[in-house]
Amino acid sequence: MDRDEALTPAALPPSVGTGRPVPLRVAAPLAVAAGLALLVAFPPYGVWPLAPVGVAMLAAAAHRRRLRAGAGLGFLTGVAFFGPLLAWTNLHTGYLPWVLLSLLQAGYLALLGAATAWVSPLADRVRWAWPVLTGLLWVGQEALRDRTPFGGFPWGRLAFSQDTSPLLRLAALGGVPLVTFAVALVGGLLVTAVWRGWAAARRTPQDDVSHAGGPPGDTPSRRWAPVAVPALVAVALTAGSLLVPVATAGSGATVTVAIVQGNVPRLGLDFNAQRQAVLNNHVDATIELAGRVAAGQERQPDLVVWPENSSDIDPLRNPAAGARISQAADTVHAPILVGAVLLGPGPGQVRNAGILWRPGTGADMGQLYTKRHPVPFAEYVPLRDIARKVSKQVDLIRSDFVPGSTPGVVRAGPAVLGDVICFEVAYDDVVRDTVTGGAQLLVVQTNNATFDVAEARQQMAMVRLRAVEHGRPALMASTVGVSGFVAPDGRVSDATGFNTREVVVRQLRLDDGRTLATRLGWWPEVTLAALAVAALVGAAVLRRRQRVMPE
């Protein structure tokens, strides 16, 4: 007998089957398959229905196990999921950062596996508790992972796999946490249906007779009801999400916006060595756009957006760089939101910023956004002396980026922009703060030159969710791709290729309204995470009452 089978609850309802966990020889491959299913749900694959399937597999593998076994199975899922998902971090920095980051993220799924095992008695005692518990634990795990350590790393949240799913619309009601909860809830419904189906298939007519004293109506003819009902609820919840109203276009003024994707001489970390060429690429592409406008081949833009790192030469301190940007703005007759690296404020410090550059007047210092959430070990090195003992590569980051202190609300004249830079799009509060600050158009400036197209498409999926969450048109401007526009209902237009030089122009209708998700802010996540903690406490009480074998 599997050692975990000793965890059988003392008194289980007949409908839950044998009271034993899935045999470990089955659970381990199931946990790995769960991670792979989650992986394929995300871009660039984008098979979104596999996200709840992956959730269901992990839930089944960890159910009724000891905490150590649940944690181990969750870790297997995490490695199979995060290892390939984050492979783009291995492209130009060596394998060590990728391995360490993947293992750290897998550790959170280990906690999830342990928590799943811990609440098993509660899931067994209350017939419909399992799906809800699954949803709550996933939200709780993501809430922790999004914030720890060093501000967290929210990549790979369940909600970000749903950019083409009906469940995406739920973002307008409760943001990323509600979408994650819905995905995991569907997964919980699926595992409930399969688990009870397996139990029903194992039952014999003699079992039904022996359970005659059980719940009224527990007859052989109705043994499959516990299977069909959760499966139908899962389908209904997914399809019913299409009924959630979302905006298809803004309700305010119309503006014409151009995205300039200037490209870089070559992909990789050494794109910084070509920073003058990168700046020239964006200037030249903007001047070419102005020529097409003058020839009547393109609309006159009201605003031009350049990506992150489009000027890694500080244009405020380098007159030649500033002159080149002014040349582009003056020629195209529109303000340019420039992604720039600015020196200071202190020695050895730099800022990752978006700065508005106006025709005729140059840099508008009143409309400058400094990235609030620099990436640890990429844009700054915490605990540098300790980190250096792990890898000398930390010294490639010579200057630490310092964070900004105010939301990225940039008043560009024809539109109020909600500017977030690169990975910041994954952080709920960073994006929401721009909307509550008055942003009418969400702008994501990013640089994917050190990554690959998979990472870029994963980031675009986040932009799609943010557009629906806040009922705003949005855009992503990348140095190398993928760039494009996103409607408030999540539809992508004019998406560019990867590692190409392209300019796309589109008319957008702005919006000033607020969705329910914007108004509620962090309360959906706080509520769901608090319920997850309550479930863990409730399971502890139930375990004590049942005198379950301690760890």
Side-chain angles (χ1 to χ4, degrees):
M1 178 182 293
D2 185 340
R3 185 170 179 265
D4 285 327
E5 292 177 5
L7 240 174
T8 303
L12 297 177
S15 60
V16 301
T18 64
R20 296 176 179 178
V22 175
L24 195 57
R25 64 181 180 276
V26 176
L30 194 63
V32 174
L36 297 177
L38 291 170
L39 170 69
V40 177
F42 282 77
Y45 314 104
V47 188
W48 62 264
L50 287 181
V53 171
V55 169
M57 288 178 174
L58 177 57
H63 189 53
R64 295 174 178 163
R65 310 211 87 88
R66 292 179 178 270
L67 297 188
R68 288 189 295 272
L73 292 168
F75 189 74
L76 284 178
T77 298
V79 170
F81 173 43
F82 285 112
L85 185 77
L86 302 178
W88 44 266
T89 62
N90 182 38
L91 294 177
H92 307 289
T93 60
Y95 72 91
L96 188 59
W98 165 55
V99 170
L100 292 178
L101 179 60
S102 299
L103 293 178
L104 174 64
Q105 300 306 301
Y108 289 92
L109 289 196
L111 292 177
L112 175 64
T116 300
W118 179 256
V119 301
S120 296
L122 192 59
D124 285 330
R125 174 59 64 92
V126 183
R127 182 185 292 268
W128 292 106
W130 201 358
V132 176
L133 290 171
T134 302
L136 294 176
L137 293 180
W138 270 93
V139 173
Q141 172 265 141
E142 289 188 356
L144 182 64
R145 187 166 68 85
D146 298 350
R147 293 167 174 82
T148 59
F150 309 116
F153 187 68
W155 215 271
R157 298 167 78 179
L158 282 182
F160 294 150
S161 69
Q162 301 297 296
D163 59 317
T164 58
S165 162
L167 296 174
L168 178 69
R169 289 173 167 253
L170 296 177
L173 302 181
V176 175
L178 183 61
V179 178
T180 284
F181 176 76
V183 174
L185 178 65
V186 171
L189 289 164
L190 293 179
V191 71
T192 299
V194 173
W195 191 283
R196 294 185 186 279
W198 172 74
R202 290 169 59 90
R203 286 174 62 179
T204 65
Q206 288 77 13
D207 294 327
D208 293 314
V209 171
S210 67
H211 295 321
D218 187 14
T219 64
S221 63
R222 300 186 62 179
R223 72 167 69 172
W224 292 100
V227 179
V229 172
L232 290 174
V233 172
V235 173
L237 174 62
T238 304
S241 299
L242 291 171
L243 300 177
V244 175
V246 295
T248 57
S251 57
T254 299
V255 297
T256 301
V257 182
I259 299 173
V260 175
Q261 177 179 302
N263 209 9
V264 300
R266 56 185 176 271
L267 300 175
L269 290 177
D270 64 345
F271 85 94
N272 278 314
Q274 303 291 319
R275 54 186 184 168
Q276 183 64 60
V278 174
L279 174 58
N280 288 340
N281 283 355
H282 288 84
V283 170
D284 294 343
T286 304
I287 292 175
E288 291 169 7
L289 168 63
R292 293 198 299 274
V293 171
Q297 299 170 350
E298 194 62 83
R299 291 189 182 93
Q300 168 64 47
D302 300 305
L303 171 70
V304 177
V305 179
W306 288 4
E308 177 190 27
N309 297 122
S310 49
S311 180
D312 273 357
I313 305 171
D314 185 345
L316 302 181
R317 302 198 183 198
N318 187 303
R324 287 243 65 194
I325 299 172
S326 291
Q327 179 188 7
D330 294 345
T331 305
V332 80
H333 303 297
I336 302 174
L337 183 65
V338 179
V341 173
L342 306 179
L343 301 178
Q349 294 180 328
V350 289
R351 290 167 289 163
N352 191 346
I355 182 170
L356 196 68
W357 211 276
R358 298 187 186 275
T361 58
D364 184 343
M365 298 304 296
Q367 304 303 322
L368 185 153
Y369 168 62
T370 299
K371 186 175 183 180
R372 296 168 62 192
H373 204 298
V375 180
F377 303 103
E379 293 178 311
Y380 75 100
V381 181
L383 309 174
R384 186 180 285 268
D385 291 340
I386 297 175
R388 187 180 292 115
K389 295 178 181 178
V390 178
S391 173
K392 299 294 185 182
Q393 289 183 333
V394 298
D395 290 327
L396 292 174
I397 305 170
R398 296 182 180 88
S399 300
D400 286 337
F401 283 79
V402 296
S405 58
T406 58
V409 180
V410 177
R411 303 184 186 280
V416 181
L417 310 179
D419 188 23
V420 296
I421 298 177
C422 200
F423 289 3
E424 287 188 318
V425 69
Y427 294 88
D428 297 346
D429 58 338
V430 175
V431 180
R432 180 178 178 270
D433 286 350
T434 69
V435 178
T436 57
Q440 303 165 308
L441 169 65
L442 298 178
V443 173
V444 179
Q445 295 178 287
T446 188
N447 172 29
N448 308 110
T450 57
F451 305 127
D452 62 11
V453 68
E455 184 272 346
R457 295 196 183 281
Q458 290 163 17
Q459 203 167 17
M460 179 61 84
M462 300 178 197
V463 180
R464 298 179 72 173
L465 189 144
R466 297 305 183 190
V468 175
E469 179 180 18
H470 298 294
R472 291 288 188 278
L475 64 87
M476 186 164 90
S478 170
T479 46
V480 299
V482 175
S483 304
F485 297 97
V486 181
D489 62 358
R491 289 177 294 115
V492 178
S493 303
D494 302 316
T496 64
F498 190 77
N499 197 19
T500 62
R501 175 169 156 176
E502 298 187 49
V503 176
V504 289
V505 182
R506 191 170 187 84
Q507 280 190 323
L508 303 174
R509 188 174 291 277
L510 305 176
D511 205 307
D512 294 300
R514 295 190 181 184
T515 63
L516 180 61
T518 305
R519 294 194 296 268
L520 290 176
W522 67 335
W523 284 110
E525 183 176 48
V526 169
T527 301
L528 293 170
L531 290 173
V533 173
L536 294 173
V537 173
V541 173
L542 185 57
R543 278 172 169 264
R544 177 171 296 181
R545 289 179 179 176
Q546 293 180 338
R547 298 179 181 177
V548 176
M549 181 183 297
E551 279 293 294

